[in-house]
Amino acid sequence: MAIYYSIHPETPQERRIEEIKSALQDGAVMLYPTDTVYAIGCDLNVKSAVERVRQLKQLSNDKPLTFLCSSLSNISEYALVNDRAYKIMKRLIPGPFTFLLPATKLVPRLVMSPKRKTTGIRVPDNQVCQALLQALGNPVISTSAHLPNEEGKFPTIGLEKARLFDALENLVDIIIDDDSEPGFQVSTIIDMTSDEPAIARQGLGWEAVEDWLTITTGS
């Protein structure tokens, strides 16, 4: 059964963040709030934990996993960012946006798209996420919480928090509660792997992205 941590949403308690950090470094998988939906995640650099996340989501190894970075400069360590991408990302982060970018060698193969050598990265506008990222010193996996059932999958997005926690408490090691209710809108995905950035998935804040892409591309 998972260990519950109640974390203040604006000023996360340092001692609890440190405890969670240590558990993640030891291979723990967590359910945690983001600025979009509750996510399942782990330390990017712990292979066994990443494999568990894939099993929970029933994802094959050819399906890339999104991860969270603390800042734009942190993103540049894990992805190749050209001038146009930098300009767009600087305007949009932190926020509910996932950027598809060419991966650097720091991205584990188990996380990236094996054929395209790309990765999805977010910088969350959430203090708990930021506190964890700062404590770890490296990214954490972030995949929206879904549960397997006999018919495949059904989303936990939009579930009441108590039901969400009950549903996952035996599948993860840590559950973080910051007093927020689970969101129901996923992030907007922006494909930046070509010369012309484009919205690959409409999610939270996609209208602002569409307007900004129109301005920057001159279309």
Side-chain angles (χ1 to χ4, degrees):
M1 182 175 291
I3 299 173
Y4 281 71
Y5 286 91
S6 179
I7 305 292
H8 193 281
E10 299 300 330
T11 55
Q13 300 92 324
E14 184 176 349
R15 180 179 61 81
R16 294 178 187 177
I17 292 295
E18 285 295 317
E19 290 177 5
I20 296 170
K21 178 200 78 170
S22 296
L24 292 176
Q25 291 175 330
D26 288 339
V29 171
M30 63 179 173
L31 174 67
Y32 66 106
T34 71
D35 53 349
T36 54
V37 299
Y38 259 79
I40 295 172
C42 64
D43 188 323
L44 177 74
N45 295 327
V46 180
K47 182 179 179 181
S48 61
V50 176
E51 290 173 340
R52 281 186 60 200
V53 171
R54 285 196 173 278
Q55 291 171 357
L56 284 175
K57 289 292 298 281
Q58 298 182 346
L59 293 174
S60 60
N61 287 347
D62 62 347
K63 300 294 184 182
L65 287 168
T66 295
F67 58 89
L68 305 182
C69 281
S70 59
S71 64
L72 182 51
S73 61
N74 191 209
I75 287 179
S76 66
E77 298 178 48
Y78 295 89
L80 303 176
V81 182
N82 62 34
D83 291 341
R84 175 176 286 182
Y86 180 89
K87 183 177 181 181
I88 295 171
M89 293 164 66
K90 186 176 181 180
R91 181 180 179 90
L92 294 175
I93 63 173
F97 309 106
T98 298
F99 306 101
L100 295 182
L101 294 158
T104 69
K105 293 181 179 180
L106 286 182
V107 179
R109 291 184 180 181
L110 193 58
V111 173
M112 74 171 69
S113 171
K115 292 182 179 179
R116 299 182 67 195
K117 305 299 182 185
T118 58
T119 191
I121 306 179
R122 290 222 299 121
V123 177
D125 188 13
N126 178 284
Q127 293 303 313
V128 174
C129 291
Q130 286 290 345
L132 286 171
L133 291 168
Q134 293 295 334
L136 272 173
N138 58 256
V140 296
I141 295 296
S142 179
T143 177
S144 57
H146 287 69
L147 290 174
N149 65 8
E150 294 179 356
E151 299 176 355
K153 290 183 180 180
F154 67 91
T156 58
I157 296 172
L159 280 183
E160 294 177 358
K161 185 163 59 177
R163 292 178 60 199
L164 175 65
F165 289 0
D166 287 346
L168 289 170
E169 66 179 355
N170 292 320
L171 300 176
V172 299
D173 305 303
I174 293 169
I175 293 178
I176 299 175
D177 184 359
D178 68 349
D179 287 334
S180 65
E181 285 299 322
F184 60 91
Q185 285 186 283
V186 293
S187 66
T188 291
I189 298 178
I190 308 168
D191 189 338
M192 293 183 157
T193 59
S194 64
D195 292 336
E196 296 296 332
I199 296 177
R201 182 183 72 187
Q202 291 183 357
L204 194 61
W206 73 269
E207 298 93 345
V209 176
E210 188 172 54
D211 291 343
W212 180 241
L213 291 181
T214 299
I215 293 171
T216 56
T217 59
S219 58

